[in-house]
Amino acid sequence: DKLYHRTEQYLLGGFDVEQEGARVEQALQALREKLPDWPERVLAVHARRGSPAYWAAFSSEDLVWHARLMREADRRQQGLAIAIRTDARRSVTEVVVYTAQRRDLWPLLAGALAMGGANILEARLFDMKDGWSLAVFAVQDATGGPFDTGGRLERLESGMRRVLSGK
């Protein structure tokens, strides 16, 4: 039983289970420092959303990006929020989708990205503890570059919205 849980944690986040609490606390402390305008109660609610694997899987900059997306979506009562940015250093476009949990989320998003011409290099899906999901993709176009020209970002986003709305 212990081996199973250690293996699961390793595969989900690649970290030692004994250090899990310390890693989560480091991530949350970095979040507090980078979001000084957030009230502690809001940070506490946000902190309860993610699993230890989620907190260990991303840099503090990524966690801040996700937190702002989630908070704004919650504030606006949006059932779907999508954020896209280009990472020129890695030559990828990063796509984050925040929506209610659903069983078909993974294949729908992967299909929408593929139909938009995206090659998926990295894909991670986290079911948050509050009934929402956060999907994070790193994609490139057919030439090995990011989606950053000629309206491709807009088409990629509209395709994901269309597929998730059932159209």
Side-chain angles (χ1 to χ4, degrees), residues 11-12 57-58 66 90 92-97 105-107 109-111 113 118-126 134-140:
L11 292 174
L12 287 172
F58 297 99
H66 302 165
R90 292 176 42 212
V92 300
T93 297
E94 298 173 329
V95 180
V96 176
V97 179
L105 182 61
W106 193 251
L109 287 174
L113 289 167
N119 293 321
I120 300 171
L121 303 179
E122 296 175 15
R124 299 182 234 183
L125 177 66
F126 293 90
L134 189 77
V136 182
F137 297 91
V139 300
Q140 289 181 329

Side-chain angles (χ1 to χ4, degrees), residues 16-27:
D16 188 343
V17 176
E18 277 78 30
Q19 297 175 0
E20 176 181 291
R23 284 179 165 264
V24 170
E25 191 49 46
Q26 282 178 324

Side-chain angles (χ1 to χ4, degrees), residues 44-119:
V45 168
H46 183 71
R48 287 192 295 273
R49 286 180 160 171
S51 66
Y54 169 73
W55 296 113
F58 297 99
S59 70
S60 59
E61 290 78 19
D62 289 339
L63 292 171
V64 167
W65 186 40
H66 302 165
R68 287 186 174 137
L69 173 70
M70 289 186 258
R71 185 174 185 200
E72 185 62 18
D74 293 344
R75 188 182 70 73
R76 293 183 181 201
Q77 297 182 340
Q78 293 174 312
L80 170 64
I82 299 173
I84 301 174
R85 68 181 180 187
T86 298
D87 182 342
R89 182 183 57 79
R90 292 176 42 212
S91 191
V92 300
T93 297
E94 298 173 329
V95 180
V96 176
V97 179
Y98 176 64
T99 190
Q101 290 176 4
R102 50 190 286 181
R103 293 165 55 135
D104 59 352
L105 182 61
W106 193 251
L108 287 175
L109 287 174
L113 289 167
M115 287 178 58
N119 293 321

